[in-house]
Amino acid sequence: MDIQSIQAQIENDLSAATSLPALEEIRVKYLGRKGLVSELTGSIAGLPVEQRGQFGQQVNALKNKLQGFLEAKEKTLKTQPGVSQKTGVDIGMPGIAREPGSVHPITRIIDEICAVFTRMGFSVVSGPEVETEYNNFTGLNIPLEHPSRDAFDTFYLKNYSKLLLRSHTSPVQVRVMKTQKPPLAVIVPGRVYRPDAVDASHLFMFHQIEGFLVDENIRFSDLKGVLELFAKSVFGQEIKMRFRPHFFPFTEPSVEVDISCIICKGKGCSVCGRKGWLEILGAGMIHPNVFKQVGYKAGLYTGFAFGMGVERIAMLKYGINDIRLFFENDLRFLKQF
Ligand code: DAH
């Protein structure tokens, strides 16, 4: 590069520099050991003898000029209003604002619910979202002809007929019980998948929390006590709870559990469909066939299990009317939690 264009480049760089560190960068760029001006000095030796003298003088002049420029610029930068004379730090310059993020409302609810159960001695376990058909259905006593096994209700993996995206977190019951012996008290949060058409209350992916407890002599009243403590911790001490008989293949007897409507306190409103009650989970005593599938000796253990939808609980707790809001990444929504 010739002297003229280097000088032009220096002037450009200097006028763009607005801080002392930027100025130091310029000094290194030109005057550093491998800098452009040093390079020019180095090239003198390669010139024909008669040109060396003149070129050398030009390079020296450029060097002096640049040093003069740098000193002058340093002075202006240091005497700028707001710039500390001592350090050259511009204390008036706005800092880089780091906006703290916040926990997603679904994660928050999962953490809160898991904390209630870990205080009771449950351990948190997770399982894979790609599950075997066996763990998702057969091991849970769900018969071959059950409609939930249909391809309309479960995502099967193409080319892997025995694998699917788990449609609930219950298969972790099978995984844990196949590898561990009671006493067991486990809580399983995680994502589940179902091919549902998307609307205000349905998505193809959502979160569930499964819980189960197995030991000798576990009774239905134990289930009731644990769930009551859970419901009161999450929804408030004044909440009432009721059990309705229901059917699930993996529990017998099975129930659906309602809490008194948190909006109208049981009087009846649009959120609870004028019933005064809100369904929050399914539960029951683990079916003997499930114990058989995992290889537990018949009659030795009893236990209970329950499963709940996290989005539903978050919607009830926070008064959210559209499940899609959770996953649109709209900060106006997310910042409220
Ligand atoms: N797995 C059930 C579902 O996805 C929820 C459930 C109901 C889990 C009853 C349980 C239970 O453990 O006992 O609909």
Side-chain angles (χ1 to χ4, degrees), residues 12-285:
N12 255 339
D13 284 356
L14 280 172
S15 62
T18 53
S19 71
L20 293 171
L23 210 57
E24 176 58 15
E25 261 175 46
I26 294 173
R27 202 189 59 75
V28 172
K29 176 172 170 188
Y30 294 99
L31 299 176
R33 224 162 31 84
K34 292 190 177 152
L36 289 172
V37 175
S38 317
E39 231 170 67
L40 287 177
T41 312
S43 69
I44 293 174
L47 290 173
V49 185
E50 63 277 12
Q51 289 177 17
R52 288 185 195 166
Q54 202 203 349
F55 188 75
Q57 278 172 7
Q58 286 176 337
V59 174
N60 257 340
L62 178 66
K63 206 169 178 174
N64 291 337
K65 214 169 186 177
L66 174 56
Q67 255 151 2
F69 279 161
L70 285 170
E71 271 166 36
K73 183 86 186 191
E74 187 176 336
K75 225 179 227 158
T76 22
L77 284 178
K78 281 192 174 171
T79 50
Q80 257 177 44
V83 176
S84 153
Q85 291 292 329
K86 222 168 164 184
T87 59
V89 172
D90 183 351
I91 51 171
M93 196 163 96
I96 301 167
R98 306 215 184 268
E99 264 199 79
S102 60
V103 175
H104 191 280
I106 293 300
T107 310
R108 178 181 290 261
I109 290 278
I110 288 177
D111 290 348
E112 191 181 321
I113 293 174
C114 287
V116 171
F117 285 100
T118 50
R119 279 200 291 277
M120 287 190 259
F122 283 69
S123 17
V124 180
V125 170
S126 59
E129 290 166 28
V130 173
E131 234 335 334
T132 61
E133 194 179 356
Y134 176 84
N135 286 341
N136 199 78
F137 294 123
T138 315
L140 289 165
N141 196 38
I142 301 177
L144 278 174
E145 68 280 5
H146 195 275
S148 67
R149 286 194 180 232
D150 198 286
F152 288 109
D153 287 306
T154 298
F155 286 114
Y156 287 89
L157 266 65
K158 232 183 182 170
N159 305 331
Y160 296 92
S161 62
K162 299 266 176 259
L163 291 180
L164 44 76
L165 294 181
R166 66 178 178 191
S167 58
H168 51 178
T169 41
S170 308
V172 182
Q173 278 190 43
V174 180
R175 287 182 171 269
V176 171
M177 286 196 266
K178 279 221 166 181
T179 52
Q180 292 174 54
K181 286 233 138 40
L184 292 172
V186 173
I187 190 95
V188 186
R191 289 197 186 107
V192 302
Y193 300 84
R194 291 180 194 177
D196 284 332
V198 172
D199 63 26
S201 49
H202 294 88
L203 275 180
F204 45 84
M205 182 281 304
F206 57 100
H207 296 74
Q208 281 189 336
I209 296 179
E210 179 85 10
F212 58 97
L213 186 147
V214 187
D215 202 350
E216 293 170 21
N217 301 316
I218 299 300
R219 294 161 305 174
F220 196 91
S221 52
D222 296 314
L223 168 65
K224 226 171 162 176
V226 164
L227 288 182
E228 183 146 350
L229 201 146
F230 150 73
K232 290 193 166 163
S233 308
V234 173
F235 294 104
Q237 293 302 317
E238 69 290 350
I239 233 77
K240 287 190 189 60
M241 213 176 59
R242 77 173 182 187
F243 286 55
R244 280 178 290 107
H246 198 74
F247 173 81
F248 296 107
F250 30 88
T251 43
E252 181 59 34
S254 304
V255 289
E256 277 190 334
V257 177
D258 298 339
I259 54 167
S260 49
C261 179
I262 51 181
I263 309 293
C264 63
K265 312 267 179 265
K267 284 194 213 68
C269 68
S270 63
V271 171
C272 59
R274 321 254 159 249
K275 291 196 281 284
W277 294 96
L278 298 165
E279 184 217 318
I280 55 160
L281 55 84
M285 300 306 286

